[in-house]
Amino acid sequence: MTDDLDFRQQLAVELLSAGITATDMTNNVPPSVLATSAALAADLKIPFPPGLRPAPYPINPEPQLNDPLPKADVVVVTWTVDEVSALADVLTPQITRDHWYRYARNFSAYLPKIRERAPARNAQRLASYYLTKVGAKTVLCLKSELHLNQDGVQDPPFSPGNASLPVKDLFHQILDEADPSLIITTGTAGAVFAEHDLGDVVVTRGAMFRVQKEFGKAPFAGKAYKSDWQVSTSMFGKAVELMRGFKSQIAAPEFLPPTANYAPLDHIPKPITENDPDIKMDGIDMPAFHPILTTDFFEFGTSVNKLDQFGAAVEMGDAALGLCVEERAATGKSTPNWLVIRNCSDPQINGALRNRPAKQSLQAMWAVYYYMGFGYWTSVNSAITTWAVIAGN
């Protein structure tokens, strides 16, 4: 089991870093790169309703690395390259992730909590961000360079099983500076329900730490959090309509044996099938406050591990926001409503597939295949759902 967790932890590190380029690692993007990025920006041509089309706008003068974040009604936090690319294409259209402002305020205070070769240390910043409008609401879109699975230091004053968690400190800093009434975390996740298909979006007001590796001995291990507010679903129908405009991009692949040596080969392969994306909301499609499961290794739902009994989907970071908000409430600081919006970038995996030894796991192979192959397009769906929550609340 230890070898399996070690393997899954390394998978988490690799997947969270996937797609990072030299440009992502610089805080002074050359004008030539910005011009090229602008020319290559995706145009998804999403037919948003009149008056609710996201409208990104620059900050003038352009903020510097150590400037505080701007005030916003809503903050949206995402994590990986696929996720930020999709979020930018939906909520800051024509403004690519290369154009988002770099943010490193108080970075030196974070350094002792960030291990060597972590993305934030390599980039020498905490995040990047851009402002947009959805109707009358100002929205701060932010891509974190800190990750629960990437940063943890286990040397004193921290320890194995109770590592540093600088992303929680970043959440505090975001809330102190932007002072939103709502903060949303969004991005990819593993489905845990058999009926949640590739591309479906899970929306939940709950989060729980399901940690066993770096944070298995942390005081928050196993703790659950909830944000007790009524989410309007008035725009969910429109969001599903918009999401289904991209369903050809998340069609499940056809299946054949991996080599011609398998016999017999005269059967009809399972054909390509389209998924019809939908939104799954806690309190409607699952128990109220059914939490997102935050792990410290790459976990995925299977037909035998029954993770659906414990949570809504599985990912690697959101419960840190619940922990942050709980700490703020205990000290009298502002506590916004919060929400988790996660797209199913990998469906529930067949638990009958081989899973040992860890490096030969067909379950992990398929989970990674879906995650890597469909991460961007499924994240477009969670970005559209994020738009729907902002537009409807």
Side-chain angles (χ1 to χ4, degrees), residues 190-197 202 285-287 290 308-309 311-313 347-348:
V192 297
F193 287 92
E195 60 270 27
H196 290 186
D197 293 326
V202 170
D285 304 289
M286 64 192 85
H290 205 46
D308 57 311
Q309 297 178 7
Q348 187 195 81

Side-chain angles (χ1 to χ4, degrees), residues 150-192:
Q150 296 276 47
D151 308 317
V153 172
Q154 299 185 60
D155 301 323
F158 310 106
S159 62
N162 191 16
S164 61
L165 188 60
V167 68
K168 182 198 68 175
D169 300 332
L170 177 60
F171 277 130
H172 277 293
Q173 189 164 308
I174 292 168
L175 296 179
D176 285 342
E177 294 179 0
D179 193 26
S181 59
L182 171 63
I183 180 168
I184 296 169
T185 57
T186 187
T188 51
V192 297

Side-chain angles (χ1 to χ4, degrees), residues 247-268:
K247 68 179 183 179
S248 64
Q249 301 291 343
I250 55 171
E254 71 278 20
F255 293 99
L256 287 167
T259 78
N261 294 326
Y262 276 74
L265 293 179
D266 56 353
H267 65 283
I268 299 174

Side-chain angles (χ1 to χ4, degrees), residues 139-164:
V139 182
L140 174 65
C141 300
L142 184 143
K143 192 267 187 187
S144 173
E145 299 300 338
L146 295 173
H147 307 269
L148 177 144
N149 278 271
Q150 296 276 47
D151 308 317
V153 172
Q154 299 185 60
D155 301 323
F158 310 106
S159 62
N162 191 16
S164 61

Side-chain angles (χ1 to χ4, degrees), residues 237-294:
K238 183 62 180 179
V240 169
E241 176 188 329
L242 298 177
M243 289 158 52
R244 289 177 178 172
F246 302 104
K247 68 179 183 179
S248 64
Q249 301 291 343
I250 55 171
E254 71 278 20
F255 293 99
L256 287 167
T259 78
N261 294 326
Y262 276 74
L265 293 179
D266 56 353
H267 65 283
I268 299 174
K270 182 174 174 60
I272 295 174
T273 55
E274 283 192 341
N275 292 301
D276 212 16
D278 199 3
I279 300 172
K280 310 294 186 181
M281 177 76 205
D282 87 84
I284 299 174
D285 304 289
M286 64 192 85
F289 307 104
H290 205 46
I292 200 75
L293 301 175
T294 294

Side-chain angles (χ1 to χ4, degrees), residues 8 30 36 73 103 147 156 158 169 179 192 218 223 226 228 267 295 302 319 339 346 358 363 380 386 392:
R8 296 280 197 91
T36 301
D73 300 308
Y103 175 71
H147 307 269
F158 310 106
D169 300 332
D179 193 26
V192 297
K223 287 199 65 176
K226 68 177 185 178
D228 195 0
H267 65 283
T295 69
T302 77
L339 193 66
D346 42 294
Q363 294 182 26
V380 167
T386 297

Side-chain angles (χ1 to χ4, degrees), residues 290-306:
H290 205 46
I292 200 75
L293 301 175
T294 294
T295 69
D296 52 0
F297 60 98
F298 180 59
E299 177 67 293
F300 45 85
T302 77
S303 56
V304 299
N305 66 12
K306 306 301 182 185

